Amino acid sequence: MMTARQVTIEDVAHAAGVSRQTVSNALNAPHRLRATTLARVTAAIDELGYQPDQSARSLRTGTRKIIGYPAPADNPADPNPLMGGFLQALVTAADAVGHRILVFRSDPQQGAGAVARSFNGLIAARQIDGFVLSDVVHDDPRVDVLTEAGFPFAAFGRTAPGRPQNWVDIDSTAATAALVGLLLDQGHRRICYLNSAASLPWLADRRAGFLQAAATAPDGAFEVGVPDDDPAALSHAVQRLLTGPDRPTALVCASDWLALTAYQAVRAAGLAVGDDVAVTGFNDIPLCTLLQPALTSARLPLAAIARALVDRLITAVEDPAAAPASGLLLPAEPVVRDSTPGR
């Protein structure tokens, strides 16, 4: 049997008993072929291990089948498990449709000039077909640079009005409201929200979801936060609430990391997580299953997000007129664990 490097399109055509053009159609326009013909050609490709010449295809179509992804800045000694999981999902989604991911560094915190240099260099080199962005905020300089360049992109996070609305995001408002609804259904009457000091759009959405749903709490709802999300200061603030006369019976946290602080505060107050005070997080990072008791959280559907982003980007590359005119909101899945037992 010939190796993949030796197999040519003529070999596939001969094995399938079709013309060279029919094999080309099977690879590039399968809708033009009858199902039986397509199946025969596909079987020959699989049997011979044929790999199309991507460089030749790129010359013909003007596309590279490569997606650029500016990876967020991270600490290798303490990596962000959420964005690491998203990168894995993105690579898988791209591979499923014959694309590759080119990872590079471009930090929006360095300013619009540095962002423009990193993106425009790749665009000028014709190395990629488009970009997938993550951690997008409303005034994101990466969005501005790509909009000005007229280059296709899809964003994980909502873009500002007046910018291309080719984005996918989590409905954080609904997800947080669902967690509050779970607590109310379990009989909790007074609920506290542990807010983050970070000014990020998804955190604002989570707070809005809490306020919306907790307005029906029988004994009221309130929130607490401290500058810079200082764990020690936040733990002390929550501990004071839990030892006061009107202590909450449930803590809704803006993130799983804040939930870790909540656990510490509950125990410092001489109470038990789950039995005395219910706790919920958000993001469902691996930490959630390691805590005792395991933490109830909202899980982000990273695989579905990645598939939607790749699909939207490819549409914008291949048929700009068909690019979506509005964003896509996906639900986050509440994962109920022992930190929120029924009361």
Side-chain angles (χ1 to χ4, degrees):
M1 182 177 179
M2 291 177 288
T3 65
R5 186 175 57 208
Q6 296 170 320
V7 176
T8 67
I9 194 170
E10 287 80 8
D11 295 324
V12 175
H14 178 74
V18 298
S19 67
R20 186 183 189 280
Q21 184 58 49
T22 299
V23 178
S24 179
N25 287 341
L27 294 168
N28 302 302
H31 60 279
R32 296 180 182 176
L33 302 182
R34 294 179 179 178
T36 53
T37 303
L38 179 60
R40 191 163 72 249
V41 175
T42 301
I45 290 173
D46 291 341
E47 181 180 354
L48 297 176
Y50 174 65
Q51 296 289 333
D53 186 341
Q54 186 59 53
S55 61
R57 179 181 291 184
S58 296
L59 290 174
R60 291 194 307 271
T61 65
T63 60
R64 300 279 180 180
K65 292 192 178 296
I66 296 178
I67 297 170
Y69 175 63
D74 206 354
N75 179 1
D78 185 22
N80 182 332
L82 185 66
M83 297 317 298
F86 173 69
L87 177 57
Q88 291 295 322
L90 184 62
V91 170
T92 299
D95 184 70
V97 291
H99 284 61
R100 299 291 180 266
I101 300 296
L102 174 64
V103 180
F104 66 102
R105 178 71 69 209
S106 180
D107 187 356
Q109 301 301 320
Q110 294 179 351
V115 170
R117 285 191 294 274
S118 60
F119 279 83
N120 289 335
L122 289 172
I123 294 172
R126 300 176 62 85
Q127 291 181 290
I128 59 171
D129 300 325
F131 295 93
V132 166
L133 310 178
S134 63
D135 286 344
V136 171
V137 296
H138 291 167
D139 57 350
D140 200 306
R142 300 170 299 176
V143 172
D144 294 338
V145 167
L146 293 175
T147 301
E148 182 177 347
F151 205 73
F153 69 91
F156 182 4
R158 279 163 264 192
T159 54
R163 294 289 183 257
Q165 297 298 300
N166 196 17
W167 53 262
V168 178
D169 201 8
I170 296 301
D171 192 343
S172 293
T173 301
T176 306
L179 290 172
V180 174
L182 167 72
L183 295 170
L184 292 174
D185 289 344
Q186 291 179 344
H188 292 277
R189 302 177 59 85
R190 184 181 296 275
I191 303 175
C192 178
Y193 184 65
L194 272 65
N195 202 357
S196 172
S199 179
L200 295 169
W202 48 90
L203 293 177
D205 290 340
R206 295 173 194 178
R207 178 177 181 269
F210 171 81
L211 295 175
Q212 169 188 316
T216 61
D219 292 339
F222 50 96
E223 59 181 304
V224 63
V226 296
D228 301 320
D229 292 341
D230 178 72
L234 182 59
S235 181
H236 288 311
V238 175
Q239 185 180 347
R240 287 194 297 271
L241 288 174
L242 294 174
T243 54
D246 297 318
R247 74 172 179 88
T249 60
L251 303 173
V252 176
C253 304
S255 71
D256 296 332
W257 289 112
L258 288 178
L260 178 60
T261 300
Y263 272 50
Q264 295 169 341
V266 170
R267 286 165 180 155
L271 302 171
V273 174
D275 292 336
D276 299 315
V277 182
V279 180
T280 70
F282 204 107
N283 290 332
D284 196 38
I285 62 176
L287 166 75
C288 295
T289 59
L290 300 177
L291 292 175
Q292 294 296 326
L295 176 66
T296 292
S297 189
R299 176 179 296 167
L300 274 60
L302 296 179
I305 295 167
R307 287 193 299 267
L309 287 168
V310 169
D311 179 68
R312 283 175 163 245
L313 177 61
I314 291 175
T315 299
V317 170
E318 297 181 349
D319 187 4
S326 60
L328 173 66
L329 278 178
L330 295 176
E333 173 192 357
V335 181
V336 181
R337 300 189 179 95
D338 291 341
S339 68
T340 55
R343 294 184 60 80

